[in-house]
Every structure is written in C-alpha cells, then in structure tokens.
Amino acid sequence: MELVQCALCLVYTPKFSPLKSEYVNLNTKLRKQSQNNNSNLGLIGTDLKNFARMKSLVVNASDGGAEVETTVVEKPRLRRFQVFEGYPMPFGATARDGGVNFAIFSSNATSATLCLMSLSDLQEKRVSVQISLDPLTNKTGEVWHVFLKGDFEDMLYAYKFDGKFCPEEGHYYDSSHILLDPYAKAVVSRGEFGALGPEDDCWPLMACMVPSSMDEFDWEGDLPLKLPQRDLVIYEMHIRGFTRHESSRTEFPGTYLSLVEKLDHLKELGVNCIELMPCHEFNELEYYSYNSVLGDYKMNFWGYSTINYFSPMTRYSSVGIRDCGRDAINEFKFLIKETHRRGIEVLMDVVFNHTAEGNEKGPSLSFRGVDNSVFYMLAPKGEFYNYSGCGNTFNCNHLVVRQFILDSLRYWVTEMHVDGFRFDLASILTRGSSLWDAINVYGNPIEDDMLTTGTPLNSPPLIDMISNDPILRGVKLIAEAWDCGGLYQVGAFPHWGIWSEWNGKYRDIVRQFIKGTDGFSGAFAECLCGSPNLYQEGGRKPWNSINFICAHDGFTLADLVTYNNKHNLANGEDNNDGENHNNSWNCGQEGEFASIAVKKLRKRQMRNFFLCLMVSQGVPMIYMGDEYGHTKGGNNNSYCHDNYINYFRWDKKEESSSDFFRFCCLMTKFRHECESLGLNDFPTAERLQWHGHVPGKPDWSDTSRFVAFTLIDSRKGELYVAFNTSHLPVTITLPERPGYRWEPLVDTSKYAPFDFLTRDIPERETAIEQYAHFLDANLYPMLSYSSIILLLSPGDNA
C-alpha cells in the first residue's frame, strides 16, 4: 500500500490492482495549493510531508472488497496515471503488461521519488509529476520499484533520492537533485552537439526516455559476422570527427548517418572492423571554456567521460532528441546494420573506469546521488580514489557494479548488435573494490588476505564474470591494460584465454627501431612474430595482440615523423598536458615547413611504419586519418578540439589518393591475401627464418639496425621482408632458392607508384629491369631507412 503524489493525480492502490472506483475531483484544492507555493516546478516545490497528510477518502477496491485509501487530485488537461507497487526486476524502465515498470537499486537512500516530465517541461527545468515511493510497498530488498499505467507519449523520467548527506561516510544524498536512471536506454537534454542549454547552461536538466511496447527496429535478418580475430584490420575512429569537416560533403555531417555514407572508404582501405571512440551519452560541454589560442571554445570532444552506459550519444544522431531519443537509438542500429552489410564489424570503446561526475566537486548526475558509496571506489574517510586520473574510479568489482557492467555489455550485444568492446584503462577493472571482503566475493577468506581498496586482483570477479558469460565470451574483448595509477599489465592482464590487449609495448618498440635507435633489433623481431614473449606462455595467440603505431591518444602517424616534441599550446594549458615521451623523430627538422629531402624521408618513414604494421603477426589497428597523413600540428592530446585538428580531411585524402593512401590500400589488401600474415599461432622455424645482411645470419647485437626474415605462405609461396633502419644504405644477399628468383613487390624508398609494384603499372617491367643485374646475382640494394617485400617466383630455368 502506498501514498503516491503526482502533479496531475494522486492514486493509492494495492499491488497491480487498477482502481475501479470513481475518481474524486479535487481541482480547487490543488489550484490553491499550487498558488501558495512560490515555485516554477509545479508541485515539486510543495512541502511533500504536509501534502501527504491531507485527509484521504475511503473506497472499496476490487480485490476481495478490502478497504483501500484512495486520494485523487486531478489538474485540468494533465494526463492521469494509475500507480501500482511494481516489480523489482529487471532494473531500469521496462514496458510490460500495458504499462511501464520502473526499478532502481539504492541501498542507502531513505526515500525515493519517481519524476515524470514532458519534453517542454524539461526545457523549462520543470517536473510534471512526482511519485513518492513507499519503502514498505515500493521496495524489495535494496531495489525501489513502481508500475505505472497511463499516457507516456513524449514523457521522460528521472529520480530523486533522499538520505544522509555525509561525504565522510561516502553519502551525497540531496533530494533537490534530479538524477538519471543508470539503466536508462536514452538520455534527453540538448539536441544539437555543442549547443548550450537554456540560459547558456552547460549542464542543463537531463532525463530518461520512457520505453514503449511499440519500440521496434527492422534488423532485416542482421546477424553477428563473427569474423576470426586473426583476420581483422581494425580502424579506430571518432564518429563526429570522421565526417564533420565540410569536405565530407555528407548530408548530416558528424553523425551516425554520415558515417554510413562513408563506409565505402573503409572498404577501399581494407578495413573489416571499426573501433568507435566513446559513443555512450556524454556531455561535450563538460570542459566548455573560451580558448584564446584558437579563438573558439574547448569541448570534451573525445567523450571519455560517460554519463550513461546504456544510451547512445544522442547528439551524434541526425535527429537529436526527436521522439525522446528513440530515433537516435534506431540511427545507431542502422549504422551497425549497414556496417555488417558491408562485412565490417563494430567494436565500442567503453569507459567503465570513471564517470562524468568527477570528485566531490563534480555534479550529481546519476550514480553519486543514487548510491555513491556503492558505485565509486572510496577511501575510509570518503575521499575518491583516482586511478583514472579523472577525479573518480568506478567501483568495478563491487557485486552490484559488476552486475551493472555486465548488463550494459549484454545490452549492446543483444539489442544493438555490436561485435565487441575495447575497455579504456582496463587495469582498473582488476582492482579490488571499496570495503573488499574475500568472504563476500569468494565465499570464504583467503590466507594472508591483506587486500586494501584498489589492490590488483589475480582473479578479479568482474573479468571472471565477463569471460565466462555465455553471451559476452563470444564477442571481441580488448583491454587497454594499464591505468593512471601506475598499474601496467600488458602481457599480464587476466585473460581467461579470450581477452586481447592494446599492445603498448609493440608501439614503443616499433617506434624506437624504425627511427634507428640502437638496442631494439631483437625486441622488434618479437613484435613481428606477434609478441610471443608476452602472450605465448599464458596460452594466448598472436591475435591477442592488438598492434598499433598510433591511436587517438598521442601523435598521428604524420606527426610522429614531423615532430620531436609535443606542440599542445592550442589546448590552452601552456603545453603542460600530454605525454612528453613520444619516441618520435622529425627526420631532421621540426615542423611541417622543412626541406624537400626531409619531407621525402618522412614519407618513407610513414611507409615503413605501415608496412611493419601489416606484416606483423597479431591484429593491426589503424588510427583514423593516418591513411592519408593527417596532422594535428604536433598536438598529442587533442581531447578538447571540435575543429580541424580532429576532423578527417576528405580533401587531403583525395590529394594523397595516388600516393600514401594508395600504398596503405595495397598493403592491407596484400595482408588479406597472405595466409601467413594472420596466423592462428606463433610462427616456428618450419615457416619463418631470420636473416642478416647475408642469409641465415641475423644480427641481434645492440648496434644492429637491420632485421630480415623469410616466411612460407601457402598462397604467395614465400616472402622476403627486410628493414634497414640505419642511416647508411646496404646491399643485402638474398637466400638462394634454386629454380626460383626473388621479384620486388614493395620498396618504401621508391616514389609512388613504384613503392608498390602492382601488375597494372605501365612501367612495371622497366622498374624491375633496373634491378635485374642485382637480382640475377641474388642481391638487392636497400637505401637508408627503408623496408622491402620480395616474392619468390619461378626462375627462367624453372
């Protein structure tokens, strides 16, 4: 039994029994109550306790004649809802039985209120309806719940919670805060990216979509592609940045739909998997401030500051908040369906390490006001642990939180059809939760268990649950195996045989070797083999290594060969932000304005890096724009720029289409054609042989800057791949293969189109003839800072 208060009606009902008695109209009393309250929020400003003491009318309910107190207050032209106790599961808002069930976890709140509002009221920061939940009838265990029947068209919902406000104990309850449901499927606030809210508010009121049984999407038979991970070529991209520049010439630039328009570019490049930078709901105005350096405003462009983990970013859709966010959901689904139609999988970059609420100075948007001590990792006196470097740390291994994370991941797989996830700062997911209790987690104590909050766990419950979940263990799972608290787990992330890792060691070693640093030849060879030193002993495979040279965080490929130092002044932080150690080399001159010789060397180095990525065992990942040489002007931390710095330049791509872009397309195509460049296991001596300047004699000394190998391939026969990262040219001796001769395919020291000798090049035979006398002698000349691929073909006497 409960007393529920609405701005449009008050209904007191037994569990799931709609009232059949006649409503009693108390309009006059309601109007007088409203007039006596100095508030623009309707009854939200009314003293709820005094209002609840109004004398009720007693009527007979229909369930066996039991007497039920029922009070109804109706406001003209406002919709009426029937209110019932509801169900504690599932969490979130669920359309069922001709109504909507609302259920939310909060173990420490003393009261809960469901708030309903229309789209117009949301803009005015008004709550249309407030329904107070009775802890005796609307609470099961630690779950608050209520079931409503009525007209929910264009209606949104949110919550208020009350309880102790005591930061020292980890509690931040404040009944004046309107809070999002952590399980909301769409968040509605502003409809246009970068647009300020009413009165230039950067944090306007947000509310959640009320689901409907009529919500549906025609998947047209879409099913998971389930591509073997060893065959993937991943493309890390930003949805808005990919098409926002005017040169994209798309109808709705910067949206899910415009990305669909450009999927053919990815097919041409040879990409069969895209990794979307965060597209959970976030607030791009979080860092909003005037940037005097560029004369624009700083934004949270990257999106690594999640507000809600079930909602797609509405302002990435062409329709914004139309239909309370439903159309944005369907637009995201359309994107997934169209990528699958083209044979491209979709991974989501998910940020379960922290949220947008920050530390104690941040806003209360959802988790903090619902149950701060559960959702965040707290110190004994309530301080926020900051392993994320962003103010708070999600309490991932708490029982409730890890179940929440699993529910979110399952939703994106089953309802949105995504193919997997990349977990940002995933090492945080392995840290012990606040109030760690081995008995609670494992069922009994652990000997010598001295674990404190944040301690790395050998068998973290969250990773265990994800790895053994019947839905999630079948999708791609990629960990960024480090965090901002110094926990570095590349090669050691708890993996259950299925997790892959962003191989940060591959990035660092390859950068060092390609730019000619001594002491990395042996480590470079390990990278070419899929890093068996990191993954073989733990039972993993080469494809558990996600190889990358560049990513969103750090230099682009073009900047990697153009700048020795970061140039982040455009961020407005006096160049103090961003990584200082980039393992980059400007090839002799700092910046874009350089001599012709330096620019030629830079293009050669870009080709070297890309060739290395494509001939390495493991899964290659390309960063958006690197395929045409996108520059950020040396900015290695472009998180705050909604401008040309982060926008894909389609005009520049067209300019480079006959040069570097062509090279990249041909290299990815070559990788797909070779059976041996995506092995299911680490290569052995039966397939791979190492060479030095002469066959069979590799040089692994600290001063060696030359690495070469031959690789048996069932489709191509045999490949010879060599890297000369010395400043000196060298003439190498090739392995002898009686009856066969080596034929050049790739030489990064050559100009396009001779850097990759395809069959359709008119001058191809002439180019090969220039090296005929070397090849006849089983030799090949390599310039400094160059790499080659040769193919074995039948000789004249074969």
Side-chain angles (χ1 to χ4, degrees), residues 105 107-108 170 371-378 395 398 400-401:
F105 165 88
S107 60
N108 292 296
D371 210 329
N372 182 77
S373 64
V374 167
F375 284 104
Y376 293 117
M377 196 180 291
L378 304 178
N395 203 20
H398 185 285
V400 170
V401 182

Side-chain angles (χ1 to χ4, degrees), residues 571-615:
N571 298 355
E573 301 177 42
D574 296 326
N575 209 39
N576 291 318
D577 62 302
E579 177 60 55
N580 291 319
H581 305 287
N582 296 283
N583 295 320
S584 61
W585 179 42
N586 63 17
C587 297
Q589 289 179 270
E590 187 78 357
E592 293 187 54
F593 299 101
S595 67
I596 294 177
V598 167
K599 288 183 176 181
K600 288 180 179 179
L601 178 56
R602 288 173 179 174
K603 285 191 175 183
R604 190 187 309 173
Q605 286 290 75
M606 288 172 63
R607 289 191 286 266
N608 290 334
F609 279 120
F610 201 87
L611 185 149
C612 172
L613 192 61
M614 290 301 140
V615 301

